[in-house]
């Protein structure tokens, strides 16, 4: 089997509001929409958004994803300027990553991280 990527599904209370946040604030592009279910993408990353009328239901706001990137500080500045809900600012961690955390309108968490090149202790 050869894999081609994956998509995390976040359950949201208002699909239109979530699409607006992901596209206008976080810089994702809308890839598709089918009823109360939509997909957004940023580079090779996809997140699917499942609204309240979609059939595959879980609790709203319980999702999380960690995205690896090459410019964590630049992306933090970009989305902060557009009003992103930053839970924790970028900082270096002993596990060899510099990262920060964003909350979407339903409190799903998006970690954004970049390797620091430091070995973990």
């Amino acid at each position: 089997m050869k894999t081609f990527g994956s998509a995390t599904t976040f359950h949201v209370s208002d699909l239109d509001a979530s699409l607006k946040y992901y596209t206008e604030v976080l810089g994702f592009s809308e890839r598709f929409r089918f009823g109360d279910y939509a997909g957004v993408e940023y580079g090779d990353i996809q997140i699917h958004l499942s609204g309240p009328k979609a059939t595959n239901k879980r609790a709203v706001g319980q999702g999380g994803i960690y995205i690896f990137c090459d410019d964590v500080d630049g992306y933090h500045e970009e989305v902060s300027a557009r009003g992103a809900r930053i839970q924790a600012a970028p900082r270096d961690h002993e596990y060899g990553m510099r990262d920060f955390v964003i909350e979407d309108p339903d409190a799903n968490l998006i970690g954004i991280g970049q390797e620091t090149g430091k070995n973990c202790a």
Side-chain angles (χ1 to χ4, degrees):
M1 174 179 80
K2 182 177 181 179
T3 60
F4 299 101
S6 66
T8 297
T9 301
F10 286 165
H11 298 273
V12 299
S13 61
D14 182 330
L15 184 60
D16 291 325
S18 292
L19 280 170
K20 183 175 182 176
Y21 184 78
Y22 278 87
T23 58
E24 294 180 11
V25 176
L26 301 184
F28 282 71
S29 299
E30 185 175 331
R31 182 176 175 134
F32 70 87
R33 182 168 184 172
F34 180 72
D36 209 31
Y37 193 89
V40 293
E41 66 184 350
Y42 193 106
D44 294 331
I45 303 301
Q46 284 191 47
I47 297 175
H48 289 188
L49 304 170
S50 182
K53 296 176 188 169
T55 57
N56 58 341
K57 292 312 308 159
R58 294 190 86 111
V60 170
Q62 298 297 306
I65 187 171
Y66 192 93
I67 300 171
F68 297 89
C69 71
D70 65 351
D71 185 11
V72 71
D73 292 307
Y75 186 68
H76 175 263
E77 288 179 26
E78 179 184 324
V79 298
S80 292
R82 291 195 298 248
R85 298 171 185 181
I86 307 297
Q87 186 184 71
R91 69 181 183 99
D92 292 344
H93 297 275
E94 62 277 359
Y95 48 83
M97 297 295 293
R98 178 172 182 76
D99 58 27
F100 72 102
V101 178
I102 301 168
E103 283 188 24
D104 79 0
D106 291 295
N108 292 299
L109 300 179
I110 305 156
I112 307 290
Q114 177 179 4
E115 291 186 35
T116 60
K118 299 176 186 174
N119 292 331
C120 298

